[in-house]
Structures are given as C-alpha cells and as structure tokens.
Amino acid sequence: MERAEDTRSQVARLGAWVEPGEGVRWRVWAPGHKKVEVVLHGKDGRPGTSLPMQDEGGGFFSTTLAGEGAGVRYKLRVDGEGPFPDPWSRSQPDGVHGPSEVVVPDFAWTDAGWKGPDPEAQVIYEVHVGTATPEGTFEAFIPRLRALKELGITTVELMPLASFPGVRNWGYDGVDLFAPLAAYGGPEGLRRLINAAHAEGLAVLIDAVYNHYGPDGNYLRCYSPYYFTGRHHTPWGEAVNYDGEGSAVVRSLVLSNVEMWIRDYHADGLRLDAAHAILDDGTPHLLTEIAERARAAAPGRRVVVIAEDERNDTRLVRPRAQGGHGLDGVWADDFHHQMRRAFAGDCEGYYRDYTGSAEDIARTLRQGWFYEGQESLVHGRVRGTPASGAEPWQLVLCIQNHDQVGNRAHGERLGADVSPAAFRAMSTLLLLTPYTPLLFMGQEWNASTPFLYFTDHNEELGRLVTEGRRKEFASFARFSGDTVPDPQAVETFTRSKLDWSEAGRPEHAGVLALYRELLRLRATEPSLKEHRRGHFDARPTGTHSLVLERRGPGGALHVIVNVKGTLQHRVPANAELVLWSESPRFGGTVTQEPLRSGVVRLEGPSAVVVRIKG
C-alpha cells in the first residue's frame, strides 16, 4: 500500500492553541460522534462553562474562545460522555485524568548559536529524570550538566517524558504524548533544562514511545476507534493503527509530536523505543517519515534520530533512496550480551544465544553486532543483516542501560554482578570502540544504587502489575524463593534514586577518574577519532582475552582485554603504555606497569591500552 500524499497535508492542526488576535482555538478528531463540547475548568479542577464545537465534517470539530490565552484549563465532552482530557493536550498539570491546559511556546531561548550534535562523535548519557536527583525534576538536574560535559559526555538522553499515570514510572506507560510530565516540571521545566544543556555544549535526545500507549489514563478510544488496530499485535497488546482506516490522523499524532519536541522544545533528536514494534505495512514507513519530519523541524540545526530495535537490520540507517528508513543510529545490544555472558556469566533468557568467548566478543566488535543472519535459538528464526551496511558511529553500544538494569528482578547494576576489576575492564573496552557508547546515569563512578521497576498505577492495575512482575521471574533459577520488589511501593522508587555523593568516595572515585581519562583519550587521540570501517580490527589473543586495534594518522592504539586467568601478550617493540585499568589511580591494586620488555602481563579481569607509533 503506497500513500498518495504526505500525512501533514491530510490532517490540519489538532489540540488547543492560542491564535493571535482571536483567543484559544480547539480542534478535535472524533469520527462517528455528533456532538463535542469544550468544558472549561477552574484552577480547582471543577467544571464550569461548556462551549459547543462546530462539526467541520470528516470527524473534525472546532471552536474558539475569544480573549483568552495560556493557562485555560479544559476537558472535552463527547456525545454527552465524559468530560475527558484532550488526547492532544500540551499540558496536564493535575495528571493524566485531570483537566488539560493551554500552553504557549514563548520561552526566552538563549541557544540561537547552537548547531546540534555531531552524530559521528557522540557519547550518550541516559537519564531517568525522576530518579536522577533527590527532587526528581528537570530543574534539579541542571546543576549536574557541567560535570557531565567535563566528563566527556556530548549528549544527554532523557527517558520518556510524556505524561503517565501517577508520579513514579519509567515513562513507557505514557498516554499524553504532547504533555511533559508535571511532576518533572512540565513544559517550562523541560525548556529550562534543554536551554541550559545547550549553554553547556550538551545535546539532548528525548526517548519517544510510538509503538504502544499506556492503559491507565488512555482516553483515545473515547474519541475514535481508529487509533488502534487488530491487524497487528505487539507484546504490549493492541497495536497503534498506522496503516488502516483513519490512520492519517493517527500518524499525524506521532509526526506532530516529533515536530513539537524538536521545534518547541529545541530537542536535538529522539530515541525511538522498540522501533521493531512500530508496525506499518504502508509506504513510506512511519519510521522514514519520523526521521524526515524531525530534521525538517530544525532548519540549520543537526538532528539525530536513533532507534532501539532488536532486529539487527541495517535498513534502519540506510538512506531512503537506498530502500532504508534514513535514521541516524540504532542500538546494538549484542555487545552488551556477549560482555555480560563473559564477565558475569549470565546464561538464561536471551543470553542463551551468546557464548561470551573472546572469539565471539572480537567478532562482535569487528562487525558491530553478532547476529548477521544466523539462526537464533531464542527467537527460533534467522536474525540480523550484515552490519557492514552501517558505519560504526551509527551503532550504539553499552555495558548497561535502563532495561538491562531495571529488568533484573532486583534492579541491580552491572557492578553488583561483576568485580570492580571486571567493571573497569569492560568500561575500558566500551569507551574505546569505534562505536557510539551509551552510559546509564551513575555508571561513570560504578554507582551502587539499584534501578528497579516502579509504577504508580491505580489500585486494580497496580495489583496486576505487581503479580505479573513476580510471575515473570518465577522461572529464573537465581530468583527462586525471592520476593521481587513491589513496583507499586514508594520505597521501590526511592531506592532507585541516584546518590551522587558516592562519586567522591574512595571506592568510586577511581572509576570516575578512569572514565574521565578514557573519554579524554576518545576525544583527543588521533587513532580514536576515526570511526569508519577499515580503521579498526579485533581478534582473540587467547581463550579468555582479545585485542581491539584502532588505527589512525601516525599509528595505532591497542586495547588489550583479559576476561580471566593469566595473559602474556607480546606487543610491537615500539609500543608505549598509555594506561592500565588496574592502576591504583583508577581504584586498582597493580602498582607495577603491566608492559615490560615488549610483553603485556595481566592477571584476572583487566585492560591495558598501548600506543604504537607508525
């Protein structure tokens, strides 16, 4: 099915906005309904005057309230039912069940000279706003920005911000796509954070969820049955309708949202959650339109769109002219899985598809991901395409992220399952690959605080979530007899708050120093600034060790990594030691330099970096 015209031309503006000289204007899509009204609400949340909306035909209704502007609160009544919040609301000050609010994007921006991120030189820092500071707000995170810039971070990636039920959630249960969560600081707070980030030279990506919408506070069906479809199915239930009857408006919901984040909030791009579950049989695919709409929303500024996608498919990053979707990057999780298998011994669930051998880690590093068309035992089918169709900087690698931490029963970070030495070795390899590294907040000092799965649903749904969470882990041997923390408990949320004071403690300060030095090298070393294929290699040097070679002007850098046991690895005679992860200044205990007489000697998990001049 090929679409005859661009979605933007099919659907005019929806929601509420201020029309200069006229007042507040509303436009609603409610096909199949005969009567729609705007119900004005006071600041106390109580309903007041109702305004009838005029039927424009095609399921659209509109009206104007003269002489009013930002701050007007309202709901919508549909054929006498409701009133309900506006599904295109730009602000939900009292939560997803409360009145919607009219807002105006009139912030006094100071970032006119900002040109956006360099997609080939990103270091991404993933942040959950609610647990990143004691206050859990956009404003409270601003003082942390300078330290991130000094660390070597280039891009802050904010986990989903769209309004979700309650005040505690990862954000993937969002229901009001256009309304930044009030508990985080709402529209004004988000603008302040992004403006401050740009002032520090940091880009900001927003994690956007378009593959499904949350159940609690989701009023879309009150307006139209066409928002969802039975033609497709996702792991989260009924799929969003992107290719059936009425889909033009549903696509516009997403594409208008993409525009809003980039244009009205000056975001530098998006991370698309579970892009493999954005199901669309039409042409062009919604993913293609998302990328194009995002870039068009910021003329003269670079915009980055990165997908989380389990398929290992280079079509995501191929240009549209070559049959691809034209995204800028994609998460490549195989590296994480191989590293966890090797250093932590994980072998259940999707880890069954990985050996963690030095040979397989090296292969993953050479390619970018491991599965390039082999049969997956876990998926029961062939998985992946050759990664050579993507440039290394287009693949985002990590050793932990919100999923890999939070989806564990007790939300334990990597540092809880591997030794400090292993953590330092894994970090060294991650940060010196030619791929784009992603850090999960607090990783730079090996934070000990967990990141648990937490929710704040209504009592009935909350009980189901708690039961489902505990049932999910019943089959895992390591959790037998354990009580998985209750996602609904306030304590589960508060335990997940990041403790920034840890960074200065002796057991953490060395890791922070290591991260600073590795990111300084990444930004300044000539052989590490070349991120294209043909300029690196990786190979095993023994059963439990490997070397990553980076080549550039004037020579090469070798990253030698030992997983366990004893390693003696000969290097060229002109090799000079750059750093070793077990140096006391990084928290290690090895005082003697590991490079002696042309041989690198390592004991246990560790990494060494040597420079070889050309």
Side-chain angles (χ1 to χ4, degrees):
M1 178 179 71
E2 186 156 348
R3 298 184 177 89
E5 51 186 318
D6 184 88
T7 306
R8 184 165 25 186
S9 65
Q10 293 175 310
V11 182
R13 191 173 189 177
L14 291 170
W17 65 95
V18 177
E19 201 75 70
E22 292 187 26
V24 179
R25 183 170 175 80
W26 284 270
R27 195 160 185 268
V28 178
W29 185 55
H33 295 286
K34 296 181 179 180
K35 183 180 180 182
V36 182
E37 304 164 87
V38 175
V39 181
L40 300 177
H41 282 62
K43 293 291 175 103
D44 59 1
R46 294 181 181 178
T49 307
S50 295
L51 303 174
M53 302 186 79
Q54 288 73 49
D55 188 343
E56 297 180 357
F60 296 98
F61 297 80
S62 65
T63 192
T64 301
L65 178 62
E68 294 291 343
V72 170
R73 298 191 182 190
Y74 68 97
K75 284 188 174 184
L76 302 167
R77 185 179 289 123
V78 182
D79 282 344
E81 298 293 327
F84 311 111
D86 183 353
W88 294 64
S89 165
R90 264 60 177 179
S91 174
Q92 290 294 126
D94 299 322
V96 298
H97 300 289
S100 302
E101 181 183 43
V102 178
V103 295
V104 177
D106 58 354
F107 184 77
W109 294 96
T110 61
D111 63 351
W114 175 250
K115 296 301 181 184
D118 177 357
E120 297 190 30
Q122 290 197 106
V123 178
I124 303 174
Y125 192 86
E126 187 183 28
V127 173
H128 179 271
V129 174
T131 56
T133 63
E135 301 86 351
T137 63
F138 299 126
E139 196 87 33
F141 193 68
I142 290 175
R144 300 293 174 187
L145 296 173
R146 180 159 299 176
L148 295 182
K149 178 65 177 179
E150 292 172 350
L151 174 67
I153 301 300
T154 70
T155 303
V156 175
E157 179 184 300
L158 302 176
M159 287 175 64
L161 311 175
S163 291
F164 50 72
V167 296
R168 306 182 303 276
N169 198 292
W170 281 11
Y172 298 97
D173 290 322
V175 292
D176 291 304
L177 267 62
F178 297 87
L181 186 74
Y184 289 171
E188 180 74 7
L190 178 58
R191 291 188 174 100
R192 288 181 182 275
L193 173 58
I194 294 178
N195 194 56
H198 290 171
E200 294 290 353
L202 290 167
V204 178
L205 304 184
I206 292 175
D207 195 338
V209 185
Y210 300 133
N211 56 77
H212 75 286
Y213 304 129
D216 187 7
N218 186 339
Y219 291 96
L220 290 169
R221 285 187 181 83
C222 299
Y223 296 90
S224 169
Y226 298 124
Y227 280 107
F228 301 94
T229 177
R231 296 178 65 234
H232 304 294
H233 295 279
T234 77
W236 306 279
E238 206 172 18
V240 184
N241 173 30
Y242 293 132
D243 56 8
E245 183 181 358
S247 62
V249 179
V250 185
R251 295 170 71 84
S252 181
L253 178 78
V254 167
L255 297 173
S256 297
N257 186 248
V258 168
E259 280 186 331
M260 182 200 73
W261 292 128
I262 308 298
R263 181 193 62 222
D264 296 347
Y265 289 94
H266 291 205
D268 298 291
L270 303 173
R271 179 265 192 189
L272 304 178
D273 179 62
H276 53 271
I278 297 177
L279 305 174
D280 179 12
D281 289 338
T283 304
H285 195 283
L286 183 62
L287 289 173
T288 305
E289 289 199 284
I290 287 173
E292 292 176 350
R293 190 68 67 87
R295 295 182 188 116
R301 180 160 58 92
R302 289 185 296 264
V303 170
V304 174
V305 181
I306 297 172
E308 177 206 21
D309 196 294
E310 64 181 20
R311 293 172 292 185
N312 285 10
D313 190 349
T314 55
R315 179 181 50 167
L316 289 157
V317 295
R318 284 203 306 269
R320 182 175 181 179
Q322 297 176 19
H325 295 311
L327 304 184
D328 299 282
V330 58
W331 280 25
D333 286 344
D334 287 359
F335 175 76
H336 169 273
H337 301 343
Q338 295 282 19
M339 295 288 276
R340 285 269 339 186
R341 187 77 169 86
F343 285 91
D346 293 46
C347 60
E348 296 183 286
Y350 46 69
Y351 292 107
R352 291 185 293 121
D353 267 346
Y354 303 88
T355 67
S357 69
E359 181 178 351
D360 282 357
I361 294 174
R363 178 177 172 182
T364 304
L365 285 168
R366 287 194 306 272
Q367 296 174 172
W369 51 51
F370 184 75
Y371 278 89
E372 294 190 308
Q374 310 97 297
E375 183 82 15
S376 160
L377 295 174
V378 172
H379 292 86
R381 53 180 164 76
V382 166
R383 175 174 176 248
T385 64
S388 58
E391 290 294 346
W393 56 268
Q394 294 179 306
L395 305 182
V396 179
L397 271 56
C398 72
I399 53 174
Q400 58 183 342
N401 59 41
H402 77 274
D403 270 333
Q404 304 302 342
V405 175
N407 283 337
R408 305 180 77 78
H410 295 282
E412 61 269 38
R413 290 170 177 261
L414 174 63
D417 291 327
V418 301
S419 67
F423 186 89
R424 289 188 288 267
M426 296 170 76
S427 299
T428 302
L429 184 57
L430 169 70
L431 296 182
L432 299 185
T433 74
Y435 306 99
T436 295
L438 177 140
L439 283 59
F440 183 56
M441 59 180 194
Q443 177 178 325
E444 69 272 28
W445 71 78
N446 196 7
S448 67
T449 48
F451 184 73
L452 295 151
Y453 180 67
F454 44 80
T455 56
D456 188 16
H457 292 305
N458 61 62
E459 185 176 348
E460 181 180 356
L461 179 58
R463 177 177 52 80
L464 295 174
V465 168
T466 299
E467 292 173 356
R469 181 73 173 171
R470 289 175 173 167
K471 184 178 180 181
E472 178 183 354
F473 289 99
S475 61
F476 284 76
R478 64 178 296 181
F479 304 122
S480 296
D482 265 2
T483 300
V484 177
D486 181 0
Q488 286 285 105
V490 174
E491 182 193 16
T492 303
F493 173 68
T494 56
R495 284 179 57 204
S496 302
K497 294 269 188 178
L498 198 57
D499 179 6
W500 291 82
S501 70
E502 277 192 332
R505 298 174 192 166
E507 65 270 30
H508 296 279
V511 179
L512 183 57
L514 175 64
Y515 269 72
R516 284 188 180 131
E517 182 61 15
L518 291 171
L519 289 175
R520 185 194 66 78
L521 278 174
R522 185 179 180 90
T524 60
E525 187 75 18
S527 58
L528 295 178
K529 295 174 79 172
E530 178 53 70
H531 301 295
R532 297 186 180 274
R533 296 193 181 276
H535 294 269
F536 65 93
D537 190 20
R539 54 191 177 272
T541 61
T543 306
H544 304 297
S545 58
L546 65 139
V547 59
L548 168 67
E549 180 180 355
R550 302 288 306 276
R551 298 183 291 270
L557 214 67
H558 285 193
V559 184
I560 303 151
V561 179
N562 194 44
V563 177
K564 60 183 177 182
T566 301
L567 171 68
Q568 295 194 52
H569 174 71
R570 183 164 294 280
V571 297
N574 64 340
E576 61 182 37
L577 184 65
V578 177
L579 65 79
W580 70 102
S581 63
E582 289 313 288
S583 166
R585 70 185 177 116
F586 301 137
T589 58
V590 178
T591 57
Q592 188 174 29
E593 291 188 357
L595 174 58
R596 302 187 297 278
S597 303
V599 175
V600 170
R601 295 174 173 83
L602 299 177
E603 188 68 43
S606 51
V608 164
V609 181
V610 298
R611 183 184 295 112
I612 302 166
K613 294 183 179 179

